Amino acid sequence: MTVFVRLRTAMINRTSVCGWVALLVGCVGLLGSGIAQAQTPALERDSDRGAELVIAPVYQHIDDGVIQLDAWSSRMQLTVPLPHRTVVQSSIQYGLATGEELATVQGFTDLQFRVQHTALVRQGRLVVGVDANVPTGTEALTARELRTTIQTSQRPYGFRVPTFGQGWSVAPVVTWAAPITQDLALGVGMSGRYQGGYRPLTSSTADYVPGHEVELRLGGDYRIGEATTVALDGIATYITPDTEGGQTRFEAKYTTALRAQYLWQRRSQAVRVQARYESWPESRYRPVLLTEDTIGTGAAVTQQVLPSIWQGAVGYTRSLVGPLGLGVRGGVSHYTATNRFDAQTVARLQAVPRLQWDDTVLTVHTTYIVGSFTGFEAGLRTAIQF
C-alpha cells in the first residue's frame, strides 16, 4: 500500500467538496441523496430564511477481524444566503483516528469555502459557483501516523475524516437545468479542480501535487405522478497524474458513475430507492515502502488500487407527533477486489430520529454495519437558523 494510494483515495472520499451542486436544482428527485456521499446537496435557500449553522459530531468503529479502528470527528458548517440568489458556505472538520497497535492521528482538516449563484434564465436555472480549499489541515505525517491514515482512507470503511490536510485547490462549477415538458427536466454540468501542492510527510523534500480534474455530468428527472419521480444521472471525470517534484507518482486516469433514484413523497412521509455504480480502471503508481520509522519508494507498478462500487439503498421518512420525525434506511455496498482487499460486501442499517422546531433541527443517527467487516456509527447533527 502506498502513500499515493492513500492520498488519491482520500481525495475521492472527499469529492463532496468538489463544488457540485445537485444537477437539477429545484427538481424533485436528485436532491437529498443518501446513497452516495459524493453527491452535494443544493445550497439554494428561500429568500426569507436566514443563515444556518450546523454542528455534527460523529463516532465510528470498524472491526475487520484483523484490525480495529476508532474515529471521532466533528463537522462545523456555516451557510449564509446573500441577496440575488447567492449563497456562501464554509466548513471545517476536526478528527481523531486510532487503532490497535496504530498511532493516534488528530487535527483539523482543510477549511473549505463555497460561493454559489443561481440565475433564472427563461424557464431554466443556471448555477455557477466556485469552491476553494484552504490548507489549514494537519500535514507532514510521520511513518507511524501514515500507517493509521492508510487504514482510515480505505473507501469501504466510510470514515468521515479519512485524512487531514491536502493543500489548496480551486474548483469552478457551472450547471444548467431546464424543464423539457411538464413532467421531464434535463440538465448538464461541468466542473474543474486545480490542485496545489503540499508536504504530506515529514520526510517530503518536494511538494506532492494531486491530479487536476475535469468532470462532466448529465441527468434528468421524470415525474410519473403527483407523488412519484424517477431520476437518472451520469458522471465522467478525467484526472491528470499526481506528481511529486515533477515526477509522476500516481495515475488514476478517469472514473465514471451512474446513479438512479425513485422517490415517492406525500404529505408527511417519503420513500426513496437508489442505485449507483462507480467504475475505476487500474492505476499506475510508485509504491511507498514502510518500515517502522522510515519511508522509501519502489518501482512503478500497475494494479487495481481503487475499487469499483455497486450500491443500493432504500429509505423511509415520516413525520410523527409534533416536532418528532423518524427515518430508517438500509443499504448494501459491494466493492470489487483491489491490491489491498479481496472483494467486500457490507450492509448498513440506519435509524434517524429527528426533532424539528421553527429554527432548530436536532437529528440523531445510529448505523450498524455487517458483512465483510462489522462496525458501528453514532452521530448528532444540530442545525440552527438565525
Side-chain angles (χ1 to χ4, degrees):
M1 193 58 185
T2 81
V3 61
F4 309 111
V5 173
R6 193 268 305 179
L7 296 170
R8 172 54 60 190
T9 303
M11 284 192 66
I12 294 161
N13 278 335
R14 72 184 180 104
T15 53
S16 59
V17 300
C18 191
W20 273 107
V21 296
L23 177 61
L24 301 182
V25 177
C27 299
V28 176
L30 288 185
L31 305 185
S33 170
I35 189 172
Q37 294 180 2
Q39 307 298 331
T40 303
L43 290 183
E44 262 199 314
R45 301 172 66 84
D46 296 336
S47 58
D48 60 346
R49 296 174 64 185
E52 182 182 68
L53 175 65
V54 174
I55 301 175
V58 176
Y59 166 73
Q60 295 173 277
H61 173 79
I62 292 294
D63 183 353
D64 69 359
V66 177
I67 190 171
Q68 294 187 19
L69 298 170
D70 293 280
W72 294 262
S73 63
S74 184
R75 177 172 61 94
M76 293 155 282
Q77 177 178 290
L78 178 64
T79 305
V80 180
L82 302 178
H84 311 297
R85 298 187 178 89
T86 301
V87 175
V88 177
Q89 184 180 85
S90 63
S91 64
I92 194 170
Q93 296 191 81
Y94 186 88
L96 182 151
T98 189
E100 291 183 343
E101 300 182 359
L102 292 174
T104 296
V105 186
Q106 61 184 313
F108 283 98
T109 64
D110 294 332
L111 180 62
Q112 297 158 3
F113 286 100
R114 173 179 297 158
V115 179
Q116 177 182 302
H117 175 72
T118 302
L120 303 180
V121 182
R122 296 182 180 178
Q123 293 184 332
R125 298 193 183 196
L126 178 67
V127 181
V128 294
V130 63
D131 284 6
N133 200 69
V134 180
T136 59
T138 301
E139 298 181 13
L141 302 180
T142 65
R144 295 187 69 243
E145 290 172 332
L146 175 62
R147 291 179 182 275
T148 303
T149 56
I150 284 176
Q151 296 293 336
T152 59
S153 295
Q154 302 310 311
R155 295 199 72 190
Y157 294 156
F159 282 105
R160 302 297 179 95
V161 180
T163 189
F164 298 89
Q166 293 184 311
W168 65 270
S169 66
V170 177
V173 184
V174 59
T175 302
W176 165 256
I180 305 302
T181 67
Q182 183 177 356
D183 297 320
L184 176 65
L186 297 178
V188 60
M190 178 174 286
S191 75
R193 172 175 291 275
Y194 185 83
Q195 185 78 39
Y198 68 108
R199 300 290 175 97
L201 302 168
T202 54
S203 60
S204 297
T205 58
D207 282 354
Y208 184 90
V209 184
H212 313 309
E213 301 177 7
V214 176
E215 182 169 285
L216 176 66
R217 179 181 301 216
L218 301 171
D221 272 15
Y222 182 74
R223 189 186 304 275
I224 299 175
E226 287 187 8
T228 306
T229 305
V230 294
L232 180 69
D233 68 289
I235 307 130
T237 306
Y238 169 74
I239 308 167
T240 66
D242 296 8
T243 62
E244 185 177 33
Q247 301 296 315
T248 297
R249 308 310 298 263
F250 185 91
E251 188 174 4
K253 300 177 184 177
Y254 64 88
T255 179
T256 57
L258 184 67
R259 185 181 63 159
Q261 177 176 270
Y262 168 90
L263 175 66
W264 177 87
Q265 190 171 24
R266 178 171 292 173
R267 295 190 181 93
S268 61
Q269 56 185 331
V271 175
R272 192 185 307 268
V273 181
Q274 297 172 312
R276 185 175 184 271
Y277 173 67
E278 179 180 320
S279 175
W280 286 91
E282 290 186 334
S283 302
R284 186 168 179 79
Y285 65 97
R286 289 186 176 275
V288 170
L289 308 176
L290 289 175
T291 63
E292 182 63 28
D293 297 307
T294 62
I295 302 172
T297 303
V301 296
T302 299
Q303 293 180 331
Q304 188 69 44
V305 174
L306 300 167
S308 296
I309 306 171
W310 297 85
Q311 292 179 308
V314 178
Y316 174 74
T317 59
R318 183 184 180 94
S319 297
L320 301 175
V321 179
L324 180 62
L326 179 64
V328 292
R329 183 174 178 272
V332 176
S333 299
H334 176 76
Y335 302 84
T336 60
T338 66
N339 62 333
R340 178 172 176 80
F341 288 109
D342 293 333
Q344 294 187 315
T345 302
V346 293
R348 288 178 165 87
L349 307 175
Q350 186 176 72
V352 188
R354 182 188 71 250
L355 289 171
Q356 182 170 0
W357 297 276
D358 290 339
D359 58 358
T360 303
V361 180
L362 184 65
T363 306
V364 178
H365 77 268
T366 55
T367 304
Y368 291 92
I369 304 169
V370 295
S372 298
F373 55 87
T374 60
F376 174 80
E377 179 178 317
L380 173 66
R381 182 183 187 272
T382 303
I384 303 172
Q385 294 179 12
F386 52 92

